[in-house]
Amino acid sequence: MILTRLLSIESWKRWLWTIVRLTLIAGLAFVILYPILQKISTAVKHQTDLYSPIVVWIPETLTLENFRNAIEIMDYWETLFNTFALSATTTILTAISCALAGYGFARLKFKGSNLLFAGVILTILVPPTTILIPIYLNLKDFTLMGIIPLLTGKPVNLLNSYWPFILTSLTANSLKAGLYIFIFRQFFRGIPKEVEEAAYIDGAGVSATFTRIMLPNAIPAIITTTLFSFVWQWNDSFFTTTYLTSSKVMSTQLSSLPYNLAIELSGGDASKADPFYLSMVQDTGILLAILPLIIIYLFVQRYFVESIERTGIVG
């Protein structure tokens, strides 16, 4: 009798946990999918459906006019290429520099390494807005420690170019670079030291051990950091709109989409344009901006989940 009751209690606990888990998953799925479904519904609506009281999700008149306007105003295909090139370049450079930094913190012990790593953790905690003005002024009058004015007579303005992103990526100081260094450090610390010692016995140096032994074993960490870096750079609007105000990338084009569309529709007077329709087209532009990321995720989701399980993010 007691055994039967215990089994019954355990069964009820399993059922209760199953219900709680399904509820949490459904809630998270709703939070994630609801904005996307709403933007899809808005993108295929006609302008007249905005003022119809019976239209909520399913439009009365299906149209692709919003997509045509968004693609034309954003110069979508050129913008897509520029954004992909910028994100891919910064991702590759960030992965290389952060892997080197993470390996150094994990395996190469030197004086002040703990203090430097504390600084890396601090870059994760400190909001980027606190250092925006010094970085902006440094890039506006870039001197490379006084070398450039010594050779040319004046500093170089790196704003409205890709150089701010390239330089920060090369020096492991790009967007979220502190997190990537932490991921690589945790992963390299999990690799047995005997692997390195065997390479040293065979005559390999530090660089050869890193490139031939450690880096091939760090594929999960590389996949994780490259995916994070690519997505965050693609979606970044803070640094991109600050450094690339006149370049055709997704962030700048999305921010100026309503105004540019209003100018075109109203013949030069933006105040005459319908603000609700401008919002509809902007939602369409956002959908076009995230569509490449969704397509990429569909192809790499299995590798991403496996890499997350094998890196130091969890556990």
Side-chain angles (χ1 to χ4, degrees):
M1 181 67 69
I2 296 176
L3 182 60
T4 304
R5 288 183 178 178
L6 289 175
L7 291 175
S8 177
I9 293 174
E10 290 297 326
S11 177
W12 276 106
K13 286 182 178 179
R14 286 196 299 269
W15 276 103
L16 182 61
W17 171 240
T18 301
I19 294 173
V20 171
R21 185 170 56 185
L22 289 175
T23 303
L24 290 174
I25 293 174
L28 289 173
F30 174 79
V31 171
I32 295 172
L33 294 177
Y34 176 78
I36 298 177
L37 296 176
Q38 188 180 45
K39 283 177 173 50
I40 293 175
S41 174
T42 303
V44 296
K45 286 180 181 178
H46 192 268
Q47 185 175 1
T48 56
D49 291 337
L50 285 172
Y51 307 100
S52 176
I54 63 174
V55 174
V56 180
W57 284 94
I58 302 176
E60 287 185 321
T61 306
L62 292 173
T63 180
L64 297 177
E65 182 181 357
N66 299 328
F67 285 98
R68 286 193 294 267
N69 287 333
I71 290 173
E72 180 182 355
I73 298 300
M74 292 175 62
D75 199 358
Y76 180 72
W77 301 113
E78 182 180 352
T79 301
L80 181 66
F81 176 79
N82 293 340
T83 308
F84 185 85
L86 174 63
S87 300
T89 302
T90 56
T91 296
I92 294 172
L93 296 177
T94 297
I96 295 172
S97 60
C98 291
L100 288 168
Y103 179 70
F105 284 120
R107 287 292 194 252
L108 306 179
K109 298 303 179 183
F110 52 91
K111 190 175 181 179
S113 61
N114 293 331
L115 183 62
L116 287 176
F117 185 69
V120 172
I121 299 300
L122 194 63
T123 62
I124 304 175
L125 303 177
V126 174
T129 52
T130 58
I131 57 175
L132 175 64
I133 294 178
I135 294 177
Y136 182 89
L137 294 177
N138 187 24
L139 294 172
K140 184 176 182 297
D141 296 314
F142 187 70
T143 61
L144 192 60
M145 297 179 292
I147 297 177
I148 294 177
L150 185 64
L151 297 176
T152 63
K154 60 180 180 179
V156 178
N157 185 4
L158 298 181
L159 298 178
N160 291 325
S161 70
Y162 290 164
W163 279 109
F165 302 94
I166 294 174
L167 292 176
T168 53
S169 300
L170 278 173
T171 56
N173 195 33
S174 59
L175 181 65
K176 309 291 185 180
L179 176 61
Y180 309 146
I181 295 174
F182 177 79
I183 291 174
F184 276 114
R185 176 182 180 269
Q186 294 301 103
F187 187 86
F188 286 132
R189 288 186 64 183
I191 297 178
K193 291 185 178 180
E194 290 76 11
V195 177
E196 285 178 293
E197 292 173 354
Y200 294 149
I201 292 174
D202 291 338
V206 175
S207 59
T209 302
F210 172 72
T211 55
R212 298 179 183 179
I213 305 298
M214 303 298 285
L215 205 58
N217 288 317
I219 298 300
I222 293 173
I223 294 175
T224 301
T225 54
T226 51
L227 287 176
F228 280 161
S229 178
F230 187 88
V231 172
W232 274 329
Q233 179 60 56
W234 186 284
N235 293 327
D236 173 60
S237 59
F238 182 76
F239 289 108
T240 305
T241 54
T242 303
Y243 302 148
L244 287 175
T245 55
S246 61
S247 181
K248 290 185 178 181
V249 292
M250 287 294 177
S251 299
T252 56
Q253 294 296 88
L254 281 176
S255 62
S256 61
L257 175 60
Y259 178 78
N260 292 336
L261 180 63
I263 292 295
E264 181 169 323
L265 294 179
S266 60
D269 188 1
S271 61
K272 296 180 180 179
D274 185 358
F276 298 105
Y277 180 67
L278 298 181
S279 177
M280 173 188 288
V281 178
Q282 187 173 34
D283 284 345
T284 307
I286 294 173
L287 185 63
L288 289 171
I290 65 176
L291 184 60
L293 298 179
I294 296 175
I295 295 174
I296 292 174
Y297 178 75
L298 292 177
F299 286 99
V300 302
Q301 59 174 329
R302 179 170 64 88
Y303 304 101
F304 178 67
V305 173
E306 291 177 356
S307 64
I308 286 291
E309 293 177 351
R310 296 177 58 186
T311 52
I313 298 179
V314 181

